[in-house]
């Protein structure tokens, strides 16, 4: 079999090796950040004091609203703190005054997490997809050489 032109090797290397390795790096960082947060975070109850509603559509003609709740909660010293949810979603329209379990890292209470493992799952999926894609890309390159 004849060796393909250099530009094809570069294209395949970029698309099927470099980009997947980027996914692996991003996924690893998300996973580690999520695990560190879960180690330091405390589970408490927060009260929704505000819901930030933003139009997140690509063009000015359509409307796609996303919601980000702002929670108020008590610090260990008894003072009231506020933090925005790390999750923003089109179906997360919490009502003002409702109470929900949240995770808070009191070293940085400005961002809170609603219960769930969504960031951890996204990180692990990025690592898996990147790893499988990089393996196929490397296999394709070595089979052409």
């Amino acid at each position: 079999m004849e060796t393909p032109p250099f530009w094809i090797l570069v294209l395949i290397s970029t698309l099927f090796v470099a980009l997947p390795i980027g996914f692996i790096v991003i996924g690893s960082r998300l996973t580690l950040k999520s695990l560190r947060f879960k180690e330091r975070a405390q589970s408490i109850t927060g009260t929704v004091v505000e819901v930030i509603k933003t139009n997140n559509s690509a063009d000015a003609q359509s409307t796609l609203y996303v919601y980000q709740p702002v929670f108020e909660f008590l610090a260990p010293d008894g003072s009231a703190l506020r933090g925005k949810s790390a999750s923003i979603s089109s179906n997360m329209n919490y009502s003002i005054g409702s109470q929900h379990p949240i995770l808070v890292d009191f070293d940085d209470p400005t961002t809170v997490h609603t219960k769930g493992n969504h960031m951890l799952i996204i990180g692990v999926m990025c690592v898996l997809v990147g790893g499988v894609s990089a393996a196929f890309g490397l296999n394709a390159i070595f089979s052409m050489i």
Side-chain angles (χ1 to χ4, degrees):
M1 182 154 106
E2 187 177 316
T3 303
F6 180 73
W7 69 271
I8 290 185
L9 290 174
V10 170
L11 180 66
I12 290 173
S13 298
T14 303
L15 292 177
F16 296 108
V17 179
L19 288 177
I21 288 173
F23 268 86
I24 293 170
V25 170
I26 291 169
S28 298
R29 291 188 65 171
L30 279 174
T31 301
L32 290 174
K33 183 178 179 181
S34 178
L35 290 173
R36 282 190 205 122
F37 176 81
K38 287 197 176 279
E39 285 176 1
R40 294 188 313 259
Q42 294 180 25
S43 180
I44 60 172
T45 300
T47 304
V48 178
V49 292
E50 180 183 359
V51 178
I52 300 169
K53 181 179 175 182
T54 308
N55 185 358
N56 197 34
S57 56
D59 58 54
Q61 303 296 329
S62 64
T63 54
L64 171 66
Y65 290 107
V66 292
Y67 304 93
Q68 181 181 28
V70 178
F71 293 94
E72 188 171 273
F73 49 91
L74 294 178
D77 66 2
S79 62
L81 298 174
R82 285 187 179 203
K84 292 181 184 178
S85 174
S87 301
I88 300 172
S89 177
S90 60
N91 63 356
M92 192 192 319
N93 194 2
Y94 289 106
S95 58
I96 304 277
S98 62
Q99 294 188 335
H100 302 274
I102 56 174
L103 294 171
V104 179
D105 177 6
F106 285 106
D107 290 337
D108 180 19
T110 57
T111 302
V112 302
H113 292 256
T114 52
K115 291 223 171 182
N117 292 319
H118 54 278
M119 291 304 289
L120 181 61
I121 292 169
I122 291 170
V124 170
M125 290 304 296
C126 283
V127 171
L128 291 175
V129 168
V132 169
S133 299
F136 280 120
L138 288 171
N139 184 39
I141 289 171
F142 286 123
S143 68
M144 284 190 236
I145 296 176

